[in-house]
Amino acid sequence: MVRGGRPGEPRRVAYLYILPALLVFGLFVLVPLVRTAQFSLYEWNGLGASTWAGLSNYRDLFTEPQLRGAFVHALVLVVFYAVIPVLLGLLLAAAMSRAVLRGMGFFRVVLFLPQVIPMVVVAIAWRQIYEPNGPLNDTLRFVGLDSLARPWLGDYTWALPSVGIVGTWVGTGLCLVLFLAGMSRIPRELYEAARLDGAGALREFRAITLPSLRGELAVALTLTVIAALKTFDLVYVMTSGGPGTETTVPSYQVYNNAFLLGRVGIATALAVVLTLVVFVATVLINRVGERGQR
């Protein structure tokens, strides 16, 4: 800094470096978001003239059973996409960090592999697995469990859990890799001291491992919860929201109302609410994670 220069000048220069990124963010994120919020205040079919609707589109989100049910389905998927993968990831990571097995790297790659496969490919593969004469039902019949065989994606009770299981399969590998990375930086001396004090494996996990993984837990929950709330491709390819409306989710309802039903106002209102839900969930998870690290 040159002597005699005005205070704050370096800060203004620093803003110039991030200005291009801010312009791109504003052009491709903020402007579309503002336009979406604007469209949500009108009744419009996407082609003709629009009519001012005020907040009626938002009211319909809470009064129409199909739209309200989409958010309920999303909450169910949060259990399969986030809660179960995090628990499984913790269990597997704890077991793999304690045991010395040959080919550990291979197992990590196999478990993480679903993350690098396009979700459309995943959906097509699992749709074939769930077919009435697919591998899953054939296996059940082979082991004598014919009564459990069913058209999984056409069953009103099992369609949504079937989609959720795919989310569990995809998300577990990500959680496992995050937790293994977190466990690798925990000093071994802590475990040795705990063992000298007579702590067992469960006590070590609760007293040392879990508190040390708060940051990784926050990241894993953030990514998996967002994936659950904004899921679209799995539902679109596997069930198209069926049977009936049993697997509709907010993202699918945005597509359905905007492009199939011509209710752009409802679709954009749904998109705005979904964005707010994702934002609030992200903030809450990160706040809890930061509080736990203090």
Side-chain angles (χ1 to χ4, degrees), residues 8-272:
E9 186 172 337
R11 179 176 296 181
R12 290 200 299 270
V13 173
Y15 285 139
L16 293 176
Y17 288 102
I18 64 174
L19 183 60
L22 291 176
L23 290 175
V24 172
F25 179 79
L27 182 62
F28 292 99
V29 177
L30 294 182
V31 172
L33 185 59
V34 171
R35 291 288 287 173
T36 300
Q38 179 184 356
F39 291 155
S40 68
L41 302 176
Y42 290 85
E43 289 184 5
W44 185 39
N45 62 6
L47 296 174
S50 59
T51 305
W52 174 259
L55 298 177
S56 63
N57 290 327
Y58 292 92
R59 185 186 64 242
D60 292 341
L61 299 183
F62 300 97
T63 56
E64 290 191 18
Q66 293 184 2
L67 300 178
R68 189 172 61 245
F71 283 97
V72 176
H73 298 159
L75 292 178
V76 173
L77 290 183
V78 167
V79 176
F80 287 97
Y81 274 67
V83 178
I84 297 177
V86 166
L87 294 177
L88 287 177
L90 281 173
L91 179 63
L92 291 172
M96 294 175 71
S97 64
R98 292 181 64 88
V100 180
L101 299 175
R102 295 178 59 184
M104 187 70 71
F106 172 76
F107 289 115
R108 294 182 183 179
V109 171
V110 170
L111 291 170
F112 188 76
L113 188 61
Q115 285 292 317
V116 300
I117 301 176
M119 291 302 293
V120 173
V121 177
V122 171
I124 293 174
W126 276 88
R127 186 178 63 185
Q128 295 177 349
I129 291 174
Y130 283 135
E131 285 182 351
N133 294 319
L136 178 57
N137 283 336
D138 288 345
T139 302
L140 291 174
R141 297 186 185 102
F142 178 77
V143 298
L145 299 175
D146 303 58
S147 60
L148 297 180
R150 66 191 72 243
W152 297 94
L153 298 179
D155 190 288
Y156 279 79
T157 302
W158 288 98
L160 187 61
S162 297
V163 175
I165 288 172
V166 181
T168 300
W169 179 72
V170 172
T172 300
L174 173 64
C175 296
L176 172 65
V177 171
L178 286 173
F179 297 149
L180 284 175
M183 290 179 183
S184 66
R185 62 178 176 77
I186 301 176
R188 295 291 100 185
E189 293 81 3
L190 295 177
Y191 292 104
E192 294 173 0
R195 294 188 187 109
L196 289 176
D197 290 338
L202 184 59
R203 181 72 179 274
E204 288 179 15
F205 179 79
R206 285 166 39 191
I208 300 175
T209 305
L210 200 57
S212 301
L213 292 179
R214 285 196 176 98
E216 287 75 12
L217 279 168
V219 173
L221 283 173
T222 299
L223 295 176
T224 52
V225 168
I226 291 176
L229 293 175
K230 71 180 185 64
T231 185
F232 170 78
D233 32 22
L234 280 182
V235 171
Y236 179 78
V237 175
M238 294 181 68
T239 65
S240 296
T245 58
E246 291 302 310
T247 58
T248 56
V249 290
S251 294
Y252 183 82
Q253 284 290 12
V254 171
Y255 161 80
N256 186 50
N257 281 275
F259 298 104
L260 301 183
L261 301 180
R263 300 200 301 172
V264 177
I266 291 289
T268 51
L270 189 58
V272 170

